[in-house]
Amino acid sequence: MTTARTPTRNRGNRRTEILDAAARLFAARGFHGVSIEDIGGAVGVSGPALYRHFSGKEALLAEMLLGISSRLRESAVAVVTASGGPGETLDALLDTQITFALEQPALITVHDRELGNVPEPARRQIRRLQRLYVEEWVTVLAELHPSCPAARLRAATHAVFGLLNSTPHSAGELPPEAMRPLLRAMARAAVDAAVNAR
Amino acid sequence: MTTARTPTRNRGNRRTEILDAAARLFAARGFHGVSIEDIGGAVGVSGPALYRHFSGKEALLAEMLLGISSRLRESAVAVVTASGGPGETLDALLDTQITFALEQPALITVHDRELGNVPEPARRQIRRLQRLYVEEWVTVLAELHPSCPAARLRAATHAVFGLLNSTPHSAGELPPEAMRPLLRAMARAAVDAAVNAR
DNA sequence: CGGTTTCGTTAATGATGACTAACATCTCGC
DNA sequence: GCGAGATGTTAGTCATCATTAACGAAACCG
């Protein structure tokens, strides 16, 4: 039986290959709308083979969400510690979020839809990372405009995320080279408006 | 018929009561994450009672999405035909979308997540209404700035929807009276930035 | 009062789907 | 060359769930 689709060395790639395929499927049809068979089929194996790599469907989702939220958080921390003025830091934060949104639309989509399906030990940790990520933004915004109440800054941050993460909906409207500056300009303007209004 | 006595006979209300409860549940756990039993339970009846009101789970979702998309579209048409200058029209469009987002967060959430679960006859119609709604926005934006390519205007429109529909995520951060002007200011600034950039 | 409609109820029924078991195969390190 | 571990496979098992069946009771209509 030559079942091999690709004789290449798939050392540790299977896991990430599975995570990628699952992210696309979850983004398209939702966690409960995707079966283990679907995920297996998407990477060329069938069904229960996944249990060689993950302890279950929920564990797979948990690992996926932990991955994105920690990457997001890490990149924000890197940006914040590395930079100079708050204005530049904000631009850098915007750029990394835009990069994520443009390059990993499926992950970003799953990230803010499927937290409710993560079992409890991991859920708390993901929520914590998400909160820390938001707080990085809020801190930078607060430096930029100390008189603005934190609640308003938090709401503005969520709104900017909504704007940037809308990318999956406008898939195909514009090429990424055009999308990036558009999103940057819109987000920057929205932030300024939020922070400066009467 | 002189009712006044007991509100027990909810003549046509059961249907909308069910639709409301289902919208909340779908928004929270996704279409496939909610059972017919759950929906029935949320309105105090149990399970198969729903089949007295809807022909099935998918039909319920279809009616729900058709309802929102036609209401959105209708209100946009009303605004566009009634108004004067394109600037005022845009503000009015923003305001109605903000009202929907603040008053019906569950519906708005389901509206842009669950289209894929609507069976085919209705799906096309919903997509059509959504497209028409977007085109109302694009037309107004084009009047405001004729030199901007339509694709860019469409992308900007989706981004503004993302911004405004982020409301469910920032639930509780700010009271609606504060949220509305914030969203208005951010959205208006984002639109202007999209339309004016180099 | 009978009869019909309306709106519920509680059992099936039949699919689907997550997960487990039992059984190959391939690649190594030795 | 050989056992061991990693990775697949197919055939259960057991829940859950959408949908249907069969049946009740209140309101409405004459």
Side-chain angles (χ1 to χ4, degrees):
Chain A
M1 306 297 187
T2 56
T3 49
R5 39 182 21 248
T6 323
T8 48
R9 282 286 161 280
N10 289 337
R11 275 283 172 268
N13 304 49
R14 255 298 135 89
R15 276 181 78 83
T16 64
E17 194 184 354
I18 291 170
L19 284 168
D20 279 8
R24 270 190 299 275
L25 290 169
F26 289 163
R29 316 212 292 263
F31 181 72
H32 294 293
V34 175
S35 74
I36 288 287
E37 270 288 327
D38 293 334
I39 303 175
V43 302
V45 304
S46 240
L50 299 196
Y51 289 87
R52 299 293 170 194
H53 302 276
F54 300 92
S55 71
K57 201 186 172 189
E58 289 184 333
L60 191 159
L61 179 68
E63 181 165 333
M64 188 160 111
L65 293 199
L66 262 169
I68 337 164
S69 33
S70 43
R71 279 198 302 259
L72 280 172
R73 204 280 172 117
E74 274 171 33
S75 66
V77 169
V79 157
V80 165
T81 63
S83 126
E88 294 160 27
T89 306
L90 176 58
D91 285 333
L93 281 179
L94 277 168
D95 256 1
T96 64
Q97 175 71 30
I98 290 173
T99 299
F100 270 101
L102 289 177
E103 289 179 359
Q104 313 279 351
L107 276 179
I108 289 290
T109 299
V110 174
H111 182 240
D112 71 11
R113 286 187 190 179
E114 306 290 4
L115 180 62
N117 291 309
V118 176
E120 206 19 291
R123 176 140 96 212
R124 196 179 310 277
Q125 196 180 350
I126 294 166
R127 225 194 271 280
R128 183 175 150 274
L129 289 166
Q130 290 179 343
R131 191 168 38 75
L132 289 172
Y133 182 59
V134 172
E135 288 314 308
E136 300 289 347
W137 282 69
V138 170
T139 303
V140 171
L141 290 180
E143 279 179 53
L144 241 150
H145 209 91
S147 73
C148 204
R152 185 183 174 94
L153 296 179
R154 249 184 296 276
T157 300
H158 284 295
V160 171
F161 290 166
L163 190 160
L164 298 179
N165 297 347
S166 71
T167 298
H169 294 299
S170 33
E173 298 282 12
L174 282 185
E177 322 86 67
M179 198 57 125
R180 177 180 287 275
L182 176 61
L183 290 175
R184 185 158 35 204
M186 293 182 76
R188 188 65 214 223
V191 165
D192 292 343
V195 128
N196 292 325
R198 37 84 172 275
Chain B
M1 42 181 74
T2 59
T3 60
R5 189 76 64 79
T6 26
T8 46
R9 277 298 148 267
N10 292 337
R11 275 281 169 262
N13 305 47
R14 255 299 138 85
R15 275 182 79 83
T16 63
E17 194 184 354
I18 291 171
L19 284 168
D20 279 9
R24 271 189 299 275
L25 290 169
F26 289 163
R29 317 212 292 263
F31 181 71
H32 293 292
V34 175
S35 75
I36 288 287
E37 269 289 327
D38 292 334
I39 303 174
V43 302
V45 304
S46 240
L50 299 197
Y51 289 86
R52 300 292 170 194
H53 303 277
F54 301 92
S55 71
K57 201 185 173 191
E58 289 183 334
L60 190 158
L61 179 67
E63 182 165 333
M64 189 160 109
L65 293 198
L66 262 169
I68 336 164
S69 33
S70 43
R71 278 197 302 257
L72 280 173
R73 204 280 173 119
E74 273 171 34
S75 66
V77 168
V79 156
V80 165
T81 63
S83 127
E88 294 160 28
T89 305
L90 176 57
D91 284 333
L93 282 178
L94 276 169
D95 255 2
T96 64
Q97 175 72 29
I98 291 173
T99 299
F100 270 100
L102 289 177
E103 288 178 0
Q104 313 280 350
L107 239 36
I108 288 288
T109 298
V110 175
H111 182 240
D112 71 12
R113 286 188 191 177
E114 306 291 5
L115 180 62
N117 291 309
V118 175
E120 206 19 290
R123 175 138 96 213
R124 197 178 311 278
Q125 196 180 350
I126 295 166
R127 225 194 272 280
R128 183 176 150 273
L129 289 166
Q130 290 179 343
R131 191 168 38 76
L132 289 172
Y133 183 59
V134 172
E135 289 314 308
E136 299 290 347
W137 281 69
V138 170
T139 304
V140 172
L141 290 180
E143 278 179 55
L144 241 151
H145 210 90
S147 73
C148 203
R152 185 182 174 93
L153 297 179
R154 247 184 294 277
T157 299
H158 285 295
V160 170
F161 290 167
L163 190 160
L164 297 179
N165 297 347
S166 71
T167 298
H169 294 300
S170 33
E173 297 282 11
L174 282 185
E177 321 85 67
M179 197 58 123
R180 176 181 288 274
L182 176 61
L183 290 175
R184 185 158 36 206
M186 293 182 76
R188 188 65 214 224
V191 165
D192 291 343
V195 129
N196 291 325
R198 35 85 174 267

